[in-house]
Amino acid sequence: MKDRLRISRLYMPGNNPYLSQNAFLFGADCIILDLEDSVPPAEKFASRILVREILKNVDFGDTERAVRINQMSSPFGRQDIEEIVPAEPDLILIPKAECGEDIRIVEDIVQEIKQKNNIDKEIYFMPILESARGVWNTYEIASASENVVMVAFGAEDFTKDIGAQRTRQGKEQFVARSMVVLGAKAAGVQASDTVWSDIEDMEGLRLSAQEAKELGFDGKGAIHPSQIEVIHDVFAPTAEEIEYANKVITAFEEAEKKGSAVVALGRKMIDPPVVARAQKIITLARKMGLLE
């Protein structure tokens, strides 16, 4: 599903069969079987075979099944695609994307393999923006293919690329994160914030997730199952937000019935953007099971 809920995306090393085949139990919206950073070169071949078999034989339930391939400029990227596409993942993560052509190259290979194997299933893309060039070209990348459903920001490689030290406060990432959100939203796709690398610093994760939500991100990456609950808790609409959103929608609907162009809720005027935001909150609450 193109617009499904993707608040949390959990990375699982593709060379660890126990973790990978049980990852759906952790409650993440998207499980990413990783063939890139978590797999050393000597294990690339065996790991992609393992990931292929997990995709074919493990029931992930409602959890989205994704694979992060290696860079297409490496000796492993195309081989990853050739091995996993016949196993029909839901989503392919494209690391270190820097321009629209990076996405189109992957798309052409995926289409070629799908045709060869008579696969009708849609396989979506999530480019990861991990460099200054990639962040600068967010809109171009996000709009390069109709199958791009989300773009993700990667802070670790980004800060290295610009020559900055990654800090707990994240000031060095602020402009880049904002640009990723703006480019994604302009292209009509979701945006996911970078992972929080300190798995013991839950307060830091909560603050980072809260900032991501305020910037307009739709979710955040996780590298450990313990981070998922915090991410979901932060991105979930609060009871107060749901209550106010319902009041906004009710006031708007009542005004429409009366043929009035002016909508007021208490002392505040309600205009279409406020109504749209309220509707989005209610939709999110329903998807997260907070409303029937």
Side-chain angles (χ1 to χ4, degrees):
M1 188 188 305
K2 192 167 185 176
D3 61 347
R4 63 169 292 152
L5 203 63
R6 296 184 180 92
I7 289 176
S8 60
R9 65 182 206 277
L10 175 63
Y11 288 90
M12 291 278 106
N15 60 349
N16 189 320
Y18 176 77
L19 282 177
S20 298
Q21 69 182 351
N22 292 288
F24 68 96
L25 298 172
F26 299 132
D29 297 315
C30 176
I31 294 295
I32 301 161
L33 304 176
D34 185 30
L35 294 174
E36 195 206 14
D37 286 347
S38 65
V39 178
E43 297 181 25
K44 297 289 187 185
F45 175 81
S47 295
R48 72 169 67 99
I49 303 300
L50 176 60
V51 166
R52 179 196 69 190
E53 293 306 307
I54 289 172
L55 289 170
K56 289 169 64 176
N57 296 294
V58 176
D59 183 2
F60 280 67
D62 295 330
T63 304
E64 189 170 36
R65 306 169 312 136
V67 178
R68 178 166 68 171
I69 63 173
N70 286 276
Q71 274 185 274
M72 294 305 293
S73 60
S74 76
F76 312 110
R78 183 181 179 103
Q79 294 175 29
D80 291 341
I81 299 174
E82 291 174 345
E83 203 65 61
I84 65 168
V85 167
E88 302 186 21
D90 301 315
L91 188 67
I92 292 176
L93 276 74
I94 306 172
K96 300 173 178 64
E98 293 198 322
C99 63
E101 186 62 20
D102 290 344
I103 313 308
R104 289 186 285 271
I105 288 171
V106 173
E107 183 174 46
D108 288 345
I109 298 171
V110 169
Q111 286 301 116
E112 174 189 325
I113 298 169
K114 284 176 62 178
Q115 290 174 7
K116 183 179 178 180
N117 291 273
N118 297 314
I119 297 172
D120 294 325
K121 173 188 172 73
E122 289 289 353
I123 297 176
Y124 297 116
F125 305 133
M126 185 192 300
I128 311 176
L129 312 177
E130 305 175 77
S131 67
R133 186 181 179 210
V135 168
W136 189 267
N137 290 330
T138 297
Y139 174 76
E140 176 191 332
I141 293 166
S143 56
S145 165
E146 290 186 358
N147 280 21
V148 173
V149 294
M150 174 177 262
V151 296
F153 175 56
E156 206 65 56
D157 282 294
F158 171 79
T159 51
K160 181 174 69 175
D161 186 55
I162 65 171
Q165 183 72 31
R166 186 176 181 183
T167 65
R168 188 176 189 270
Q169 293 74 24
K171 291 180 180 180
E172 71 285 347
Q173 307 164 36
F174 179 77
V175 172
R177 291 165 86 194
S178 299
M179 289 178 68
V180 168
V181 170
L182 290 173
K185 302 300 176 165
V189 305
Q190 299 172 344
S192 184
D193 191 29
T194 188
V195 300
W196 185 255
S197 56
D198 187 345
I199 61 174
E200 295 184 358
D201 184 5
M202 289 299 174
E203 181 59 26
L205 169 63
R206 182 173 293 276
L207 291 172
S208 180
Q210 184 62 46
E211 184 176 55
K213 179 181 179 180
E214 291 169 357
L215 286 172
F217 280 103
D218 300 286
K220 189 170 181 66
I223 58 172
H224 193 275
S226 63
Q227 297 178 324
I228 295 169
E229 184 178 354
V230 174
I231 292 170
H232 283 198
D233 183 54
V234 170
F235 278 90
T238 65
E240 292 77 14
E241 288 174 329
I242 294 171
E243 181 182 7
Y244 183 73
N246 274 320
K247 288 180 179 179
V248 168
I249 293 170
T250 299
F252 180 75
E253 290 174 347
E254 289 177 354
E256 272 193 326
K257 289 177 184 177
K258 297 175 182 177
S260 174
V262 179
V263 185
L265 183 58
R267 294 162 54 186
K268 294 185 177 180
M269 302 304 295
I270 306 299
D271 56 8
V274 174
V275 177
R277 190 179 304 117
Q279 291 169 335
K280 183 177 180 180
I281 288 171
I282 297 303
T283 298
L284 178 59
R286 287 203 175 100
K287 284 183 177 180
M288 296 188 73
L290 302 175
L291 287 174
E292 294 183 0

